[in-house]
Amino acid sequence: MERKIKQLLLVTGSVMSAAIALVPMASYASYSEFDQKPSTNGNTAVKVNVLDSISLDAASAGDTIVVASDTIGTGKISASVSSTAAYTISLKAVDSPSLINIDDSNDEIPAGTNVSVGNSAWGIKKPFASGYTALTTTSQVFYNGTGAGPNTSIPTDFEVGVSVSSAVPSGDYATEIEVLAAIK
């Protein structure tokens, strides 16, 4: 009897194993995971903070200014700015506000506002201004602009005026100027 029960168990176990193996898996996954979970709808906001951007696309001084004691020589500094916000353009002399003779550093043309025939001075005009501004080694705002966008470059010209007295020796005079564009 014991032997028949063992055989019956073995046969029954084999038949059950085969029956389980032949049942398709789909019948075990008859429900969807999403159908069985509660759901809710809601709104949320995505917030992005886009920072202002600015770039100084070009700054140039143009050609050499030629001046004699009976004239006022003029030239220009050009700056092109791309900005997404209101901005300023500031200028300053890097080392010396005076124009220094390249061959003799004792000779100079001082920065000043009285750029006129017979007087030794040089200065820069702010756009739409009638007079000249003397540069210093501290940044000074020369222009206030409105942003036109990151892909729109806005050119701004600054007139440079130089006058010399007959006491100024001939030669090449220069100073380095820093042009700074900044968001307000």
Side-chain angles (χ1 to χ4, degrees), residues 55-174:
S55 67
L56 180 61
D57 299 326
S60 64
D63 296 330
T64 300
I65 300 169
V66 179
V67 66
S69 62
D70 59 346
T71 64
I72 296 174
T74 59
K76 72 177 178 178
I77 295 173
S78 296
S80 293
V81 175
S82 299
S83 179
T84 59
Y87 64 93
T88 60
I89 298 176
S90 299
L91 305 175
K92 77 172 192 171
V94 174
D95 295 319
S96 172
S98 294
L99 297 173
I100 306 294
N101 188 321
I102 294 171
D103 296 323
D104 184 353
S105 63
N106 293 319
D107 297 332
E108 63 182 53
I109 303 169
T113 58
N114 186 14
V115 178
S116 59
V117 173
N119 186 49
S120 294
W122 82 279
I124 299 175
K125 277 188 183 179
K126 296 178 180 180
F128 313 110
S130 58
Y132 290 96
T133 300
L135 278 190
T136 65
T137 55
T138 303
S139 288
Q140 300 174 64
V141 174
F142 272 70
Y143 182 75
N144 290 294
T146 58
N151 299 321
T152 304
S153 185
I154 301 171
T156 305
D157 292 333
F158 303 97
E159 181 182 310
V160 178
V162 181
S163 61
V164 294
S165 71
S166 58
V168 174
S170 63
D172 291 327
Y173 292 74

